[in-house]
Amino acid sequence: MPKLKTRRAAAKRFNTTGTGKIKRMKPYKSHILESKSPKRKRNLRKATLVSKTMTEAVRKMCPFI
């Protein structure tokens, strides 16, 4: 059986919490920020958890995180 390899693009985007859940940053924070309210931009700074439906897909892409 071949070696398991991590998808590097996914590995850069996800981290694991202490309890084993997968953490990600929110999108839409890179440009066209003038039209977004300060409250919206402030909330986009925070990390969030990957949904339960996508967790299995992320684990397959990153088997070692």
Side-chain angles (χ1 to χ4, degrees), residues 30-65:
S30 57
H31 58 87
I32 316 176
L33 298 175
E34 268 185 14
S35 61
K36 296 171 186 157
S37 71
K39 180 181 179 182
R40 183 175 169 192
K41 290 186 279 190
R42 191 165 55 245
N43 284 328
L44 290 174
R45 272 187 234 144
K46 301 171 186 172
T48 186
L49 296 176
V50 172
S51 67
K52 290 180 182 177
T53 54
M54 289 303 297
T55 300
E56 192 57 37
V58 174
R59 288 205 189 281
K60 282 182 181 175
M61 289 188 278
C62 305
F64 303 110
I65 66 160

